[in-house]
Amino acid sequence: MTTTATSETPMVFADRVSKSFGSNEVLKGISLTVPRGEVMCLVGPSGSGKSTFLRCINHLERVDAGRLSVDGVLVGYEERGDKLYELKPREAARQRRDIGMVFQRFNLFSHMTALENIIEAPMRVNKLTKDDAVARGRELLARVGLDEKEDAYPAHLSGGQQQRVAIARALAMEPKLMLFDEPTSALDPELVGEVLDVMKGLAKSGMTMIVVTHEMGFAREVADQLVFMDGGVVVEAGNPDEVLGNPQHQRTKAFLSKVL
């Protein structure tokens, strides 16, 4: 993204974002701000719109109303006069390079080794030489604790290891923003910690992150903002200790009573 953003420009700014699928209004005017270098955790029941909002941030879903910008640049649209026009797919994909996304399911290429999964996009999209991509890929595998697994195929990796490769793959594009859509929900309980540890390290390094999660301990420890969504709206948002320890809304209290 070409941008004249300053350090005061929020990394993510959502202004009354709405999204419907047919007659089902999934997002009902979401307004949120994520300053650069901060971590926002989105929590709430299934179907509350958390994952849809995440997908709107990198234009995997089109918004029906409102505006979303990343680092001061409108996502998926350009403004001409007082109207918004959707970007062509190639231009939207170019924007998406700056936004890393990690899904519930790891989405690794099964026919590629861990290292090959990581170097594919930097070589194909960013035109890195193979030597440079491999060097960077090995650095990232070491960063997620998998330097000894570079030649392993996904079928020979545990779920936690596959998810750590997926994180390294997203980081290989050197994103300015990382989105995590319930990255531990598909993992066996004993593997959750190894993925959360990598994410904690990312947060400490200053990466701006938005994380949809059910891991309340992680949210309390790492998040700068905790947002509780239900029914397509932001019900409550604030400091994690305050929201978790002293929720103000009945819907928040009811949800937290089931998960804490």
Side-chain angles (χ1 to χ4, degrees), residues 143-193:
R143 185 172 180 179
V144 300
L146 291 173
D147 41 338
E148 79 289 357
K149 296 289 187 182
E150 69 172 67
D151 294 324
Y153 288 89
H156 300 133
L157 297 172
S158 70
Q161 290 171 332
Q162 289 185 63
Q163 192 61 295
R164 285 187 279 158
V165 172
I167 293 171
R169 180 178 62 180
L171 291 173
M173 295 297 287
E174 300 187 355
K176 56 178 72 171
L177 169 68
M178 284 286 286
L179 308 176
F180 294 86
D181 189 6
E182 299 192 25
T184 60
S185 64
L187 301 179
D188 292 332
E190 67 270 19
L191 302 177
V192 168

Side-chain angles (χ1 to χ4, degrees), residues 7-20:
S7 58
E8 287 78 38
T9 304
M11 183 58 74
V12 179
F13 179 68
D15 179 27
R16 296 166 293 177
V17 171
S18 298
K19 173 68 183 176
S20 296

